[in-house]
Amino acid sequence: MSVAVLPAPAPSRRAWVTDLPLLLVAAVWGASYLAAKGITTTHTVIAVLVLRFAIVLPALAVAGRRGLRALSAAQWRGAGLLGLVLSVIFLLETYGLVHTSATNAGLVISLTMIFTPLAEAAVTRVRPPGSFLAAAGLSVAGVVLLTQGGGFTSPSAGDLLMLLAALARTVHVLAMARIKAVRGADPLSLTTVQLGGAVAVFAVLAALPGTGPAPWTVAADFGAGEWAGLIFLSVLCTLFAFFVQMWSVRRTSPSRVSLLLGTEPLWAAAVGIVIGGERLGAPGVLGAVLVLAGTAWGRRRAGVTS
């Protein structure tokens, strides 16, 4: 999840006080892929999504109740539309996770950092620098190799879904920038309405026949491990992460926030390999290096700061 950030004073000599919580957010986001994979199956995707966000939505609504009351009708509509896009992102990501490794998921989704400037260039008809195009090509080549970690085969359905999720994230970022009504909205209120819209979509899907067991049925079958994973996703990856971002952007620069949160794919790969026991193979390792190098180079060349 990302939020719009405002200019802030340059980091002080004690910038580590701000950096450590941001690195922790990047780490829990990276770990979220393995956590979500551990509690989700093909048949429980929608139920898990309902549970994951319904747990934190009341807390967000209470914390931001004043801002929610201050939203105009246009801002509600804009945020609701963004919530629909957000629901698509989470559906693609979660179904993708079921069918690929947590390592692949975290690295493929990082292509959003390349896709977004390319899409913005297409919309504004401003050609990006040649060096950025080279970085984009490096990242795409890395993804091709990454999905061949176990040998040269066709990319899995999960890899393709994560690629679509990266494209959907790009649409979400561009929509946030181009929907005028939400530009001045309070970030907490905007996030709450978006998550509420996404949960509404998940709840409707859960009520349809053939979409898997009901959320309360899945919750009843959860053991201690599954509940721990769900609380980790809900409380740390959503609630804690959002408030750390809100706290940090008032104490450091947007560029520094973006740089630290941009380490998410590194954490995803580390957690998937060290804790999840995943293996990339030689082509996959080379692909991971190319993805990380390409996205880092592309961020610098495009001036991506949020």
Side-chain angles (χ1 to χ4, degrees), residues 46 49-50 53-54 56-58 60-61 68 71 75-91 172 188-206:
I46 295 174
L49 286 172
V50 171
F53 296 107
V56 298
L57 194 58
L60 289 174
L68 288 171
L71 291 178
Q75 288 173 327
W76 275 94
R77 288 193 297 269
L81 178 60
L82 290 171
L84 293 178
V85 179
L86 196 64
S87 69
V88 173
I89 294 171
F90 282 119
L91 285 167
H172 186 260
L188 175 56
S189 302
L190 182 61
T191 300
T192 302
V193 175
Q194 287 187 78
L195 287 180
V199 170
V201 171
F202 302 146
V204 170
L205 291 176

Side-chain angles (χ1 to χ4, degrees), residues 38-204:
I39 66 172
T40 313
T41 67
T42 304
H43 302 294
T44 63
V45 166
I46 295 174
V48 168
L49 286 172
V50 171
L51 295 169
R52 174 179 176 179
F53 296 107
I55 288 176
V56 298
L57 194 58
L60 289 174
V62 170
R65 58 189 181 281
R66 292 183 180 178
L68 288 171
R69 287 196 295 266
L71 291 178
S72 66
Q75 288 173 327
W76 275 94
R77 288 193 297 269
L81 178 60
L82 290 171
L84 293 178
V85 179
L86 196 64
S87 69
V88 173
I89 294 171
F90 282 119
L91 285 167
L92 288 171
E93 285 184 359
T94 312
Y95 275 113
L97 270 171
V98 173
H99 298 289
T100 190
S101 68
T103 303
N104 275 26
L107 291 167
V108 173
I109 203 69
S110 70
L111 285 178
T112 303
M113 292 183 280
I114 294 294
F115 291 160
T116 301
L118 287 176
E120 188 175 17
V123 170
T124 60
R125 298 184 180 180
V126 176
R127 180 181 175 85
S131 56
F132 176 80
L133 295 176
L138 191 68
S139 296
V140 172
V143 168
V144 172
L145 286 172
L146 177 66
T147 59
Q148 311 305 311
F152 286 92
T153 60
S154 299
S156 70
D159 295 327
L160 296 177
L161 286 171
M162 295 308 298
L163 190 61
L164 290 175
L167 291 171
R169 279 196 184 191
T170 298
V171 172
H172 186 260
V173 172
L174 292 182
M176 286 190 68
R178 299 182 73 83
I179 298 177
K180 294 181 180 179
V182 303
R183 290 180 186 172
D186 169 57
L188 175 56
S189 302
L190 182 61
T191 300
T192 302
V193 175
Q194 287 187 78
L195 287 180
V199 170
V201 171
F202 302 146
V204 170

